[in-house]
């Protein structure tokens, strides 16, 4: 979950690398560093600094215009704290070789012991430093950085994306990957390497995906990929469809706010082309799946897990197939029973979340069919799945997931409708009516966003609260879980989501005079509307300050009422979550927190 970038070409490498790091900083921001090949066979220029990228930028006195190749890293600390010493790049004793790394080298302790015996000195507490010394050792005999990298990778256990440069061959960057992302950006007489395409979309739309255990050697005019034994490999090429401007803030104070406001378009893009003129659902990407399934299991983490919890209600009701939802990180460590009649759906914005990836592999080992609902084209999880449904939400830069979530829910709903259509578990009329409801969502989200100012002002009034509780039932319950997660990660406040029916089984003890409670109410037609109203009475009677989110069918007396447009109950979270996103955003701003880069977090969790 670090960001990695490399550049080789005729332009000054430092500015390209820093620009790439700026776009990748969402992946980790504990420290940042660069290494540049400035002079043939002389020590590399290296600068690294704890803290955000700006600290490094402030250190860089010169633009080192002579350097035509360079690598840069933005870190989310795993082994060793966020200090200057532990920041990447790590350098060989000669200073001529530099390595950056994303992932975890599991056998670094034994490698370090071996290398120390060989006389190498370590300057950091990281697992990565073993790699640079090992590479240096292999380079002594091979005198070829790519060959040395292949030998090193054969000795590494764990997950890694590695980039290395050596001043003996200053125009060459060598990369390698296992269980961690690496893409190549193909420019005109220049090439890029990066953790994801956002690092270079301003310069090229042509890219290559690297597979597992592959080593890539990049110069300004050539890209050569091999496996770990030097056999040539043809990497998969793809065109980047994301617009370069979509990775900019575009006048918004934060990426998160911009992404909240992009939700109507993101949902439209997820829905685009999914209903034909007769109202039939079209998902040709699922044609390879055998839909004679008797169980669906959704695996995901964090907000994507909430998308699964919400999607389950519609998926099960429409397809008439039992649906379970499990945290990917928990699934891996038990002995589940799966078969070829189980469809495992993984949900992931990044497509790189290690827990989800490992759960996917485990599910495949157990014989299940796999479908990934993902936003990032060409990432590992969709690549390793039998089928993929891309959500097309566009790049999500803020660490807090917003538009990715709404489009994941819509994606699961579309998959549910498609299965129902294939199995005839819904009539054509029912599918048409649901298609109309789904298609109306972008305008309804837009409507919420047009009237969001009073909510922002109200939120600021809760700035001093120490704890906020979230309440919902049915699909409103996972929506409440999401509301609480957003507030935790952004406002650093205690926040918890509860199912209304569970209140009396314990959580109601948390309510005291003035406790803010955000309650999500279903439409009046729901069988739980009355029960939710009773739950609100129970907490009001105990002093809760209730903020209710409800459509106009609901009549309720609460101090704060946020109206959302009407839709059917199953789809309501796509609307009710929006005010909770805004609440968390505004609270973070009011409390002076870093909205786009909340403390201790990173966008893409590529370590276990
Ligand atoms: O990239 P993924 O969707 O797999 O990420 C899963 C979670 O790490 C992610 O949703 C996380 O919980 C968000 N920061 C929440 O806003």
């Amino acid at each position: 979950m670090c960001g990695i970038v490399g550049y080789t070409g005729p332009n000054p490498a430092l500015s390209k690398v820093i620009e790439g790091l700026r776009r990748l900083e969402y992946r980790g921001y504990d420290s940042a560093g660069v290494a540049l090949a400035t002079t043939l066979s002389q020590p590399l220029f290296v600068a690294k600094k704890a803290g955000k990228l700006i600290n490094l930028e402030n250190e860089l006195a010169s633009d080192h215009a002579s350097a035509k190749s360079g690598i840069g890293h933005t870190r989310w600390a795993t082994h060793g704290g966020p200090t200057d010493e532990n920041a990447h790049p790590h350098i060989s004793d000669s200073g001529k070789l530099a390595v950056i790394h994303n992932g975890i080298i599991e056998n670094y302790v034994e490698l370090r012991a071996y290398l120390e015996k060989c006389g190498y000195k370590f300057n950091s507490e990281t697992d990565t430093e073993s790699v640079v010394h090992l590479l240096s050792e292999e380079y002594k005999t091979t005198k070829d950085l790519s060959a040395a990298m292949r030998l090193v990778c054969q000795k590494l256990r764990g997950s890694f994306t590695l980039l290395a440069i050596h001043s003996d061959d200053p125009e060459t960057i060598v990369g390698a990957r296992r269980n961690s992302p690496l893409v190549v950006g193909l420019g005109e007489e220049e090439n890029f390497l990066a953790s994801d395409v956002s690092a270079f979309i301003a310069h090229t739309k042509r890219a290559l995906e690297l597979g597992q255990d592959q080593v890539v050697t990049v110069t300004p005019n050539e890209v050569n990929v091999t496996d770990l034994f030097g056999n040539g490999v043809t990497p998969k090429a793809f065109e980047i469809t994301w617009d370069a401007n979509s990775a900019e803030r575009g006048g918004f104070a934060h990426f998160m706010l911009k992404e909240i406001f992009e939700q109507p378009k993101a949902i439209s893009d997820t829905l685009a082309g999914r209903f034909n003129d007769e109202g039939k659902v079209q998902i040709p990407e699922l044609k390879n799946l055998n839909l004679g399934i008797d169980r669906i299991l959704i695996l995901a983490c964090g907000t994507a897990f909430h998308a699964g919890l919400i999607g389950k209600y519609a998926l099960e009701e429409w397809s008439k197939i039992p649906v379970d939802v499990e945290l990917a990180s928990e699934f891996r460590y038990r002995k589940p029973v799966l078969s070829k009649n189980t469809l495992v759906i993984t949900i992931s914005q990044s497509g790189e979340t290690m827990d989800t990836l490992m759960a996917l592999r485990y599910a495949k080992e157990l014989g299940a069919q796999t479908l990934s609902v993902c936003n990032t084209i060409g990432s590992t999880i969709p690549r390793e799945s039998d089928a993929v449904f891309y959500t097309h939400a566009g790049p999500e830069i803020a660490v807090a997931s917003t538009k990715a979530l709404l489009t994941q829910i819509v994606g699961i709903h579309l998959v549910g409708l498609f299965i129902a259509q294939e199995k005839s578990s819904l009539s054509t009329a029912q599918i048409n009516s649901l298609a109309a409801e789904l298609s109306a969502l972008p305008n309804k989200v837009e409507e919420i966003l047009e009237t969001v100012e009073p909510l922002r002002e109200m939120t600021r009034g809760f700035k001093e609260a120490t704890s906020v509780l979230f309440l919902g039932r049915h699909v409103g319950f996972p929506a409440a879980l999401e509301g609480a997660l957003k507030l935790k990660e952004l406002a650093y406040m205690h926040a918890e989501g509860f199912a209304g029916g569970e209140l009396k089984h314990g959580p109601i003890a948390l309510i005291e005079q003035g406790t803010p409670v955000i309650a999500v109410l279903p439409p009046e037609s729901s069988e739980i509307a009355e029960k939710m109203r009773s739950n609100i009475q129970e907490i009001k009677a105990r002093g809760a300050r209730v903020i209710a989110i409800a459509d106009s069918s609901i009549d309720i007396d609460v101090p704060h009422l946020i109206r959302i447009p009407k839709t059917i109950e199953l789809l309501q979270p796509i609307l009710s979550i929006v005010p909770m996103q805004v609440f968390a955003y505004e609270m973070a701003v009011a409390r002076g927190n870093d909205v786009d880069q909340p403390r201790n977090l990173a966008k893409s969790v590529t370590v276990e």
Side-chain angles (χ1 to χ4, degrees), residues 109-138:
V109 175
E110 58 204 72
L111 289 174
R112 185 170 175 143
Y114 161 76
L115 289 158
E116 278 173 340
K117 258 195 215 142
C118 298
Y120 288 95
K121 296 259 171 313
F122 281 73
N123 300 307
S124 77
E125 303 152 288
T126 64
D127 50 340
T128 308
E129 203 180 349
S130 300
V131 179
V132 72
H133 295 315
L134 198 57
L135 196 57
S136 180
E137 183 72 8
E138 298 294 0

Side-chain angles (χ1 to χ4, degrees), residues 4-6 24 161 163 181-185 192-197 199-200:
I4 280 189
V5 61
L24 293 177
T161 299
L163 292 190
L182 179 59
V183 284
V184 183
F192 300 80
L193 285 154
S195 304
D196 73 52
V197 300
F200 53 72

Side-chain angles (χ1 to χ4, degrees), residues 301-304 347-350 353 399-401 408 485-486 489 605:
C301 298
T303 285
I347 307 177
S348 175
Q349 187 288 129
S350 60
T353 299
V399 166
S401 187
Q408 285 160 351
L485 176 61
K486 282 283 105 61
E489 76 176 325
V605 186

Side-chain angles (χ1 to χ4, degrees), residues 170-185:
E171 292 201 332
T172 298
I173 305 174
V174 176
R177 75 166 286 263
R178 175 185 298 159
N179 292 335
S180 178
L182 179 59
V183 284
V184 183

Side-chain angles (χ1 to χ4, degrees), residues 255-266:
F255 276 110
M256 183 188 176
L257 192 61
K258 173 176 175 254
E259 288 157 10
I260 288 174
F261 276 83
E262 281 172 348
Q263 293 183 116
K265 173 162 188 318

